Every structure is written in C-alpha cells, then in structure tokens.
Amino acid sequence: DVRSVALAALHLLCGLAREPEAGRDIRLLGGIPLLVGQLLRCISTATTVRDPRVENDADQAGSDEVAEVLCVLLAKLALEDESAYQLRQANAVHTLGSLALKCAARCSGPSAASVLRVEALCFRSLRTLYTCVRNRRMFDRLLPSVLLVAFSEVPLFAENYLMAEFAGGSPASG
C-alpha cells in the first residue's frame, strides 16, 4: 500500500536527518516544500469530528502516523538555520499551527493518545523553528504577546524525550 511505502521512506529520512549533510541535501534537492505539502495533505484528510458512517478509522490512524513522522523530520531539519528558513518560506509555521489546531479539536475520543502525541510533536517542531532568529518575526505576528513569552520560555533540547522515544532510543542518546 502507498501509505506504508511513504511511511517507510519518511522513517528512512528521519534516520538520515541526524547527519547534518543529509539534512542539507534534503534542503538543496527541494525536499522541504514536498514534506510540508505532505503534512498539508495529512491535515486535509484529518476529520475534526468522527463521522458515524465511517466504521474504522484506519485512514485517520495512518494519517496521524505520517503526521508524527513528518513533525519529527521537520524538527530535525529545523535545527539547521538555512533549513529552518526554507521551512518558513514553505509555510511550515502556518501548516504546523493548523495541525495543532486540528489536533486540539480532535482530542476527545478513542484516539486521544495518538492525537496528543501528534500535537506534542507539532509543538516541538514549532519550538525548534522558533530558535532560528530569522523566523521569530513570523511568530511575533502569529502569537499574542502572552503566549509568545510562554512559548519562548519552553526549553529546547536537540533530542527531546518525544523524539528520542519515537526513534526508539533513550532521551540521553543524542
């Protein structure tokens, strides 16, 4: 199935993105706009309210899994300033914000844990993008000042607990 192949490719890119050269190559080959576009597709397939006519939400679960991997990958790419700037140019800040809002609307129900995980990874990606000085003006325009102060005080770690857990390692391995 196409989604499982895409998911495997994204996992491979996540593993490669640990190396600075691979992240730079992804950026230089035009991969960042493609990744942001894929995240936008995940958002468009996410349903805000569960449709009672849909008996299984395997598509939604698959979309959540792809969104998780994309958030981790975008956060890893955002650690490099040029990639973070290109992510902003590709409208990743708005896309990640839209994903966070969609997750907030879907937090109730049987898939709440999965949705909260996507939301946490989304906010970690946004926080990593915020560290790039060239991106801060975008955040200044998006967030109210009280929220911006709280957002900027969140500590940032290159390999935080969620990313390390997602990759199957320990938080200390970075």
Side-chain angles (χ1 to χ4, degrees):
D1 137 282
V2 174
R3 181 166 288 153
S4 61
V5 171
L7 199 55
L10 288 171
H11 277 288
L12 179 66
L13 284 175
C14 261
L16 289 173
R18 291 183 181 183
E19 300 297 324
E21 298 83 24
R24 185 190 53 139
D25 289 343
I26 291 171
R27 175 177 50 85
L28 291 175
L29 292 172
I32 288 179
L34 296 173
L35 295 171
V36 174
Q38 182 63 38
L39 187 61
L40 200 54
R41 270 185 235 105
C42 288
I43 294 169
S44 67
T45 60
T47 56
T48 308
V49 180
R50 192 178 187 303
D51 188 354
R53 295 173 293 181
V54 178
E55 291 183 14
N56 73 20
D57 29 25
D59 279 347
Q60 186 59 52
S63 183
D64 286 347
E65 192 175 3
V66 169
E68 281 181 27
V69 179
L70 283 167
C71 286
V72 171
L73 181 55
L74 293 179
K76 286 182 179 184
L77 291 173
L79 291 172
E80 182 194 16
D81 278 347
E82 284 300 316
S83 294
Y85 180 66
Q86 194 174 29
L87 281 163
R88 187 194 74 168
Q89 288 179 323
N91 212 14
V93 174
H94 181 268
T95 304
L96 287 164
S98 297
L99 178 63
L101 289 174
K102 186 74 84 160
C103 287
R106 293 178 44 227
C107 272
S108 63
S111 62
S114 170
V115 172
L116 286 174
R117 183 178 168 94
V118 171
E119 188 173 33
L121 290 168
C122 178
F123 276 113
R124 177 53 65 188
S125 298
L126 284 169
R127 180 63 179 98
T128 308
L129 277 169
Y130 180 76
T131 60
C132 180
V133 174
R134 293 191 277 183
N135 289 342
R136 290 198 180 159
R137 194 169 49 167
M138 168 75 93
F139 284 91
D140 291 342
R141 287 183 279 188
L142 275 176
L143 301 175
S145 59
V146 174
L147 186 58
L148 185 64
V149 168
F151 186 74
S152 63
E153 289 176 354
V154 173
L156 177 72
F157 304 102
E159 278 294 313
N160 73 336
Y161 180 76
L162 282 172
M163 285 186 184
E165 178 186 297
F166 181 81
S170 67
S173 69

